[in-house]
Amino acid sequence: AAMRFQSRMKNMTFPTVLDRLPAVVPEPFPHVVVHDAIPEHIYARLEHDYPPPAEFYNGKRRRLNNERIDLASKHVDQHNIAELWRAFIAAHVGQRFWATLWDIFGASLKREFPEAQIDPNGSVTPRWIKPKGEIRLDCALGINTPVVVRSSVRRAHVDKPTKMIAGLFYLPLEGDTAGGDLLLYRKTGDVQFWKKSQVKNEDAIEAGVRIPYQRNTAVFYLNSPRSIHGVTDREVTPLCRRLVSFACCWREPMFKTM
């Protein structure tokens, strides 16, 4: 199914959220923020065609408080996903998007991981395809479920060390003012982690950059032990928080958190 999906999409062109090649902001760790990331006429269609919550619940009644659910791209053919979204996914898991990521973050990757032998011309595959390429890309549609009790979907943490670069793209529903901004933290002390990724002692970090949960906004960042980030609390709301997540992985882990 994954291969059929890939073959249907391979001849389609589609803008990506990083086509404007934004400049990297180095602090508190290398990142870019892109407003109006996708042309408005296309964004409006993507917004309209975003899968409803029932597609994420997969036919099951779920009563969750502010929890993350993703539609795995490798299973996209098993879901009712609009063709426009299939083209969006395909555009963000191919060679062209890796070239864009390298143009933006290549210098930062070399500085952060000088011993890693990352080949910018190495083989690129979607993360779910085998045999796997040296560079593995993923793009997953997701939601945070409605909020019954004010809470954060994810507090300060770092992503899995297999990720070189991670990204998010926001598509809030009209009238969603419940919050859920992204915070990029800087270290102020010796940070300790539990479960390998979650910050154990939040008194050793402070918020550096706040990226509002706003329509058509993309944020990408280099993933390293200092790339600590989290999501602000969302107020009680019946609305889902809609977001697309991106992952750019290398053939082996980039670092250890413990």
PDB file of all heavy atoms in Angstrom, residues 190-208:
ATOM      1  N   ASP A 190      22.247  22.069  34.716  1.00  0.00           N
ATOM      2  CA  ASP A 190      22.485  20.702  34.268  1.00  0.00           C
ATOM      3  C   ASP A 190      21.143  19.983  34.136  1.00  0.00           C
ATOM      4  O   ASP A 190      20.529  19.605  35.130  1.00  0.00           O
ATOM      5  CB  ASP A 190      23.383  19.974  35.284  1.00  0.00           C
ATOM      6  CG  ASP A 190      23.748  18.575  34.819  1.00  0.00           C
ATOM      7  OD1 ASP A 190      23.633  18.303  33.607  1.00  0.00           O
ATOM      8  OD2 ASP A 190      24.134  17.751  35.670  1.00  0.00           O
ATOM      9  N   VAL A 191      20.701  19.810  32.919  1.00  0.00           N
ATOM     10  CA  VAL A 191      19.377  19.206  32.669  1.00  0.00           C
ATOM     11  C   VAL A 191      19.461  17.695  32.805  1.00  0.00           C
ATOM     12  O   VAL A 191      20.376  17.056  32.279  1.00  0.00           O
ATOM     13  CB  VAL A 191      18.856  19.593  31.273  1.00  0.00           C
ATOM     14  CG1 VAL A 191      17.537  18.899  30.982  1.00  0.00           C
ATOM     15  CG2 VAL A 191      18.703  21.103  31.165  1.00  0.00           C
ATOM     16  N   GLN A 192      18.491  17.134  33.489  1.00  0.00           N
ATOM     17  CA  GLN A 192      18.367  15.691  33.623  1.00  0.00           C
ATOM     18  C   GLN A 192      17.098  15.231  32.907  1.00  0.00           C
ATOM     19  O   GLN A 192      16.096  15.935  32.901  1.00  0.00           O
ATOM     20  CB  GLN A 192      18.318  15.293  35.102  1.00  0.00           C
ATOM     21  CG  GLN A 192      19.560  15.685  35.889  1.00  0.00           C
ATOM     22  CD  GLN A 192      19.421  15.406  37.364  1.00  0.00           C
ATOM     23  OE1 GLN A 192      18.428  14.837  37.814  1.00  0.00           O
ATOM     24  NE2 GLN A 192      20.420  15.805  38.138  1.00  0.00           N
ATOM     25  N   PHE A 193      17.185  14.042  32.326  1.00  0.00           N
ATOM     26  CA  PHE A 193      16.056  13.505  31.575  1.00  0.00           C
ATOM     27  C   PHE A 193      15.554  12.220  32.229  1.00  0.00           C
ATOM     28  O   PHE A 193      16.309  11.491  32.868  1.00  0.00           O
ATOM     29  CB  PHE A 193      16.471  13.190  30.126  1.00  0.00           C
ATOM     30  CG  PHE A 193      16.863  14.393  29.325  1.00  0.00           C
ATOM     31  CD1 PHE A 193      18.192  14.787  29.243  1.00  0.00           C
ATOM     32  CD2 PHE A 193      15.916  15.134  28.652  1.00  0.00           C
ATOM     33  CE1 PHE A 193      18.567  15.893  28.499  1.00  0.00           C
ATOM     34  CE2 PHE A 193      16.269  16.239  27.908  1.00  0.00           C
ATOM     35  CZ  PHE A 193      17.602  16.623  27.835  1.00  0.00           C
ATOM     36  N   TRP A 194      14.255  11.983  32.064  1.00  0.00           N
ATOM     37  CA  TRP A 194      13.698  10.692  32.427  1.00  0.00           C
ATOM     38  C   TRP A 194      12.953  10.138  31.228  1.00  0.00           C
ATOM     39  O   TRP A 194      12.531  10.884  30.351  1.00  0.00           O
ATOM     40  CB  TRP A 194      12.796  10.776  33.662  1.00  0.00           C
ATOM     41  CG  TRP A 194      11.564  11.622  33.515  1.00  0.00           C
ATOM     42  CD1 TRP A 194      11.487  12.986  33.541  1.00  0.00           C
ATOM     43  CD2 TRP A 194      10.224  11.156  33.314  1.00  0.00           C
ATOM     44  NE1 TRP A 194      10.203  13.400  33.360  1.00  0.00           N
ATOM     45  CE2 TRP A 194       9.399  12.306  33.224  1.00  0.00           C
ATOM     46  CE3 TRP A 194       9.646   9.889  33.201  1.00  0.00           C
ATOM     47  CZ2 TRP A 194       8.023  12.212  33.028  1.00  0.00           C
ATOM     48  CZ3 TRP A 194       8.274   9.807  33.005  1.00  0.00           C
ATOM     49  CH2 TRP A 194       7.480  10.961  32.919  1.00  0.00           C
ATOM     50  N   LYS A 195      12.857   8.803  31.170  1.00  0.00           N
ATOM     51  CA  LYS A 195      12.325   8.126  29.979  1.00  0.00           C
ATOM     52  C   LYS A 195      13.077   8.586  28.727  1.00  0.00           C
ATOM     53  O   LYS A 195      12.513   8.676  27.641  1.00  0.00           O
ATOM     54  CB  LYS A 195      10.826   8.351  29.824  1.00  0.00           C
ATOM     55  CG  LYS A 195      10.001   7.702  30.910  1.00  0.00           C
ATOM     56  CD  LYS A 195       8.512   7.851  30.645  1.00  0.00           C
ATOM     57  CE  LYS A 195       7.683   7.145  31.710  1.00  0.00           C
ATOM     58  NZ  LYS A 195       6.238   7.295  31.508  1.00  0.00           N
ATOM     59  N   LYS A 196      14.363   8.934  28.916  1.00  0.00           N
ATOM     60  CA  LYS A 196      15.300   9.271  27.850  1.00  0.00           C
ATOM     61  C   LYS A 196      15.044  10.608  27.151  1.00  0.00           C
ATOM     62  O   LYS A 196      15.927  11.114  26.468  1.00  0.00           O
ATOM     63  CB  LYS A 196      15.349   8.157  26.792  1.00  0.00           C
ATOM     64  CG  LYS A 196      15.855   6.837  27.320  1.00  0.00           C
ATOM     65  CD  LYS A 196      15.995   5.830  26.196  1.00  0.00           C
ATOM     66  CE  LYS A 196      16.543   4.508  26.719  1.00  0.00           C
ATOM     67  NZ  LYS A 196      16.727   3.515  25.644  1.00  0.00           N
ATOM     68  N   SER A 197      13.851  11.199  27.308  1.00  0.00           N
ATOM     69  CA  SER A 197      13.584  12.410  26.539  1.00  0.00           C
ATOM     70  C   SER A 197      12.921  13.528  27.341  1.00  0.00           C
ATOM     71  O   SER A 197      13.070  14.696  26.996  1.00  0.00           O
ATOM     72  CB  SER A 197      12.706  12.080  25.331  1.00  0.00           C
ATOM     73  OG  SER A 197      11.434  11.627  25.749  1.00  0.00           O
ATOM     74  N   GLN A 198      12.179  13.203  28.376  1.00  0.00           N
ATOM     75  CA  GLN A 198      11.435  14.202  29.137  1.00  0.00           C
ATOM     76  C   GLN A 198      12.353  14.895  30.142  1.00  0.00           C
ATOM     77  O   GLN A 198      13.125  14.236  30.840  1.00  0.00           O
ATOM     78  CB  GLN A 198      10.272  13.534  29.878  1.00  0.00           C
ATOM     79  CG  GLN A 198       9.182  14.495  30.326  1.00  0.00           C
ATOM     80  CD  GLN A 198       8.248  14.892  29.209  1.00  0.00           C
ATOM     81  OE1 GLN A 198       8.250  14.279  28.138  1.00  0.00           O
ATOM     82  NE2 GLN A 198       7.460  15.921  29.434  1.00  0.00           N
ATOM     83  N   VAL A 199      12.270  16.233  30.219  1.00  0.00           N
ATOM     84  CA  VAL A 199      13.082  16.970  31.180  1.00  0.00           C
ATOM     85  C   VAL A 199      12.573  16.700  32.588  1.00  0.00           C
ATOM     86  O   VAL A 199      11.389  16.884  32.886  1.00  0.00           O
ATOM     87  CB  VAL A 199      13.060  18.481  30.880  1.00  0.00           C
ATOM     88  CG1 VAL A 199      13.778  19.260  31.983  1.00  0.00           C
ATOM     89  CG2 VAL A 199      13.718  18.765  29.534  1.00  0.00           C
ATOM     90  N   LYS A 200      13.467  16.260  33.439  1.00  0.00           N
ATOM     91  CA  LYS A 200      13.105  15.899  34.817  1.00  0.00           C
ATOM     92  C   LYS A 200      13.124  17.111  35.739  1.00  0.00           C
ATOM     93  O   LYS A 200      12.262  17.255  36.609  1.00  0.00           O
ATOM     94  CB  LYS A 200      14.077  14.831  35.325  1.00  0.00           C
ATOM     95  CG  LYS A 200      13.750  14.271  36.694  1.00  0.00           C
ATOM     96  CD  LYS A 200      14.745  13.157  37.055  1.00  0.00           C
ATOM     97  CE  LYS A 200      14.429  12.550  38.418  1.00  0.00           C
ATOM     98  NZ  LYS A 200      15.399  11.469  38.761  1.00  0.00           N
ATOM     99  N   ASN A 201      14.077  17.992  35.534  1.00  0.00           N
ATOM    100  CA  ASN A 201      14.240  19.163  36.411  1.00  0.00           C
ATOM    101  C   ASN A 201      14.010  20.451  35.621  1.00  0.00           C
ATOM    102  O   ASN A 201      14.949  21.054  35.094  1.00  0.00           O
ATOM    103  CB  ASN A 201      15.617  19.148  37.071  1.00  0.00           C
ATOM    104  CG  ASN A 201      16.763  19.061  36.068  1.00  0.00           C
ATOM    105  OD1 ASN A 201      16.613  18.501  34.968  1.00  0.00           O
ATOM    106  ND2 ASN A 201      17.913  19.630  36.426  1.00  0.00           N
ATOM    107  N   GLU A 202      12.770  20.892  35.538  1.00  0.00           N
ATOM    108  CA  GLU A 202      12.438  22.062  34.726  1.00  0.00           C
ATOM    109  C   GLU A 202      12.995  23.365  35.300  1.00  0.00           C
ATOM    110  O   GLU A 202      12.936  24.403  34.626  1.00  0.00           O
ATOM    111  CB  GLU A 202      10.931  22.145  34.513  1.00  0.00           C
ATOM    112  CG  GLU A 202      10.385  21.019  33.632  1.00  0.00           C
ATOM    113  CD  GLU A 202       8.960  21.263  33.176  1.00  0.00           C
ATOM    114  OE1 GLU A 202       8.418  22.356  33.452  1.00  0.00           O
ATOM    115  OE2 GLU A 202       8.380  20.350  32.537  1.00  0.00           O
ATOM    116  N   ASP A 203      13.532  23.330  36.532  1.00  0.00           N
ATOM    117  CA  ASP A 203      14.181  24.525  37.065  1.00  0.00           C
ATOM    118  C   ASP A 203      15.541  24.771  36.414  1.00  0.00           C
ATOM    119  O   ASP A 203      16.164  25.820  36.637  1.00  0.00           O
ATOM    120  CB  ASP A 203      14.339  24.419  38.583  1.00  0.00           C
ATOM    121  CG  ASP A 203      15.133  23.195  39.029  1.00  0.00           C
ATOM    122  OD1 ASP A 203      15.315  22.270  38.200  1.00  0.00           O
ATOM    123  OD2 ASP A 203      15.553  23.151  40.193  1.00  0.00           O
ATOM    124  N   ALA A 204      15.989  23.837  35.573  1.00  0.00           N
ATOM    125  CA  ALA A 204      17.269  23.989  34.879  1.00  0.00           C
ATOM    126  C   ALA A 204      17.093  24.501  33.451  1.00  0.00           C
ATOM    127  O   ALA A 204      18.046  24.510  32.665  1.00  0.00           O
ATOM    128  CB  ALA A 204      18.021  22.661  34.867  1.00  0.00           C
ATOM    129  N   ILE A 205      15.876  24.920  33.100  1.00  0.00           N
ATOM    130  CA  ILE A 205      15.614  25.474  31.772  1.00  0.00           C
ATOM    131  C   ILE A 205      14.744  26.725  31.905  1.00  0.00           C
ATOM    132  O   ILE A 205      14.096  26.931  32.927  1.00  0.00           O
ATOM    133  CB  ILE A 205      14.903  24.457  30.845  1.00  0.00           C
ATOM    134  CG1 ILE A 205      13.565  23.999  31.458  1.00  0.00           C
ATOM    135  CG2 ILE A 205      15.796  23.260  30.559  1.00  0.00           C
ATOM    136  CD1 ILE A 205      12.733  23.110  30.550  1.00  0.00           C
ATOM    137  N   GLU A 206      14.759  27.537  30.853  1.00  0.00           N
ATOM    138  CA  GLU A 206      13.867  28.687  30.801  1.00  0.00           C
ATOM    139  C   GLU A 206      13.391  28.866  29.366  1.00  0.00           C
ATOM    140  O   GLU A 206      14.097  28.520  28.416  1.00  0.00           O
ATOM    141  CB  GLU A 206      14.561  29.957  31.297  1.00  0.00           C
ATOM    142  CG  GLU A 206      15.720  30.422  30.432  1.00  0.00           C
ATOM    143  CD  GLU A 206      16.378  31.693  30.957  1.00  0.00           C
ATOM    144  OE1 GLU A 206      16.085  32.072  32.104  1.00  0.00           O
ATOM    145  OE2 GLU A 206      17.185  32.285  30.207  1.00  0.00           O
ATOM    146  N   ALA A 207      12.178  29.403  29.214  1.00  0.00           N
ATOM    147  CA  ALA A 207      11.620  29.603  27.878  1.00  0.00           C
ATOM    148  C   ALA A 207      12.416  30.666  27.137  1.00  0.00           C
ATOM    149  O   ALA A 207      12.702  31.740  27.681  1.00  0.00           O
ATOM    150  CB  ALA A 207      10.155  30.003  27.973  1.00  0.00           C
ATOM    151  N   GLY A 208      12.805  30.356  25.902  1.00  0.00           N
ATOM    152  CA  GLY A 208      13.567  31.289  25.090  1.00  0.00           C
ATOM    153  C   GLY A 208      12.740  31.915  23.977  1.00  0.00           C
ATOM    154  O   GLY A 208      12.720  33.126  23.805  1.00  0.00           O
TER     155      GLY A 208
END
